[in-house]
Amino acid sequence: MKWVILTVAAALSLSVQAASAQNLEKAIFAGGCFWCVESDFDKVPGVVSTTSGYTGGKTKNPTYKQVTYGDTGHYEAVEITYDPAKVSYEALLTAFWHSVDPTDDGGQFCDRGDSYRTAVFALNEKQRKAAEASKKAAQKSLGKPIVTPILAAATFYPAEYYHQNYYQNNSFRYRYYRFSCGRDRRLKDLWGEHAFKGIPKN
């Protein structure tokens, strides 16, 4: 009898987990170095997971070297899985704008080239409309033209394993890179007190 009760409890637990998983949604943003985008969004309450990868280009199953030095058309991007009951897509968009320099069409901070450009990849019409409205509001707040495009989502290819959670697995190197690249200094200059605070706390 005890075994049966435990089995039922386990089944109920799995049922709740499955229902919760079904309610999760995704967002895809390109904000320059995907290590930094992962670091920023992992700190947003309601974000369940982040995955660094490549999207928006023509090459299937691209490698980091191909994306960085080749002509794949891909962006470095991050796929964000989030719980819409805890954080809205609109809130994620606001965090995104304040974590990048959306006035730069040549890359981000010290990282130059097409793969480091910013973009919002809308997974459906609802996201597209929300992104367009959010972009307009951010541009008004910033007082400068925003060049970040809103694009239809394409196939997302996860990056190599060593890029995932890089800021956690290689904390010292990550911090040195981020500081040297001037990301947070530029964000402060651009957004002032509204800049997203991107350096993770240990």
Side-chain angles (χ1 to χ4, degrees):
M1 184 66 168
K2 185 177 180 181
W3 181 85
V4 173
I5 293 173
L6 288 175
T7 302
V8 172
L12 288 173
S13 176
L14 289 173
S15 177
V16 170
Q17 292 176 16
S20 177
Q22 289 177 356
N23 292 329
L24 298 180
E25 296 183 8
K26 293 184 182 294
I28 301 175
F29 300 136
C33 171
F34 45 29
W35 301 341
C36 297
V37 180
E38 261 202 17
S39 169
D40 289 346
F41 279 92
D42 273 348
K43 294 187 300 181
V44 175
V47 169
V48 176
S49 65
T50 55
T51 302
S52 288
Y54 317 109
T55 193
K58 58 182 183 295
T59 303
K60 294 183 178 180
N61 301 308
T63 64
Y64 177 73
K65 186 175 182 179
Q66 286 176 315
V67 172
T68 305
Y69 302 107
D71 185 28
T72 66
H74 284 296
Y75 293 70
E76 281 197 13
V78 171
E79 182 182 69
I80 299 163
T81 301
Y82 67 99
D83 184 345
K86 297 180 179 179
V87 63
S88 67
Y89 182 66
E90 288 77 6
L92 294 178
L93 285 165
T94 298
F96 169 72
W97 297 121
H98 291 85
S99 68
V100 298
D101 178 355
T103 69
D104 187 350
D105 62 0
Q108 284 291 282
F109 316 104
C110 68
D111 294 316
R112 313 312 300 167
D114 289 351
S115 64
Y116 293 108
R117 292 171 297 163
T118 59
V120 174
F121 291 92
L123 289 155
N124 51 50
E125 182 63 11
K126 182 179 179 181
Q127 285 194 355
R128 186 193 68 77
K129 289 182 178 179
E132 293 289 1
S134 182
K135 177 179 177 178
K136 185 179 296 185
Q139 183 166 274
K140 183 177 180 180
S141 173
L142 189 60
K144 298 179 181 180
I146 285 180
V147 298
T148 303
I150 311 299
L151 305 173
T155 302
F156 180 87
Y157 299 97
E160 295 83 346
Y161 74 93
Y162 58 86
H163 287 299
Q164 309 301 334
N165 301 310
Y166 187 90
Y167 76 96
Q168 293 177 322
N169 298 329
N170 301 274
S171 178
F172 179 79
R173 290 183 179 182
Y174 169 73
R175 286 172 176 271
Y176 179 77
Y177 156 75
R178 183 159 182 151
F179 176 80
S180 300
C181 200
R183 189 178 186 107
D184 296 300
R185 291 193 298 274
R186 174 56 182 157
L187 291 178
K188 185 176 180 180
D189 289 342
L190 187 67
W191 291 104
E193 63 180 10
H194 300 295
F196 192 92
K197 307 299 188 296
I199 296 295
K201 297 178 180 179
N202 283 339

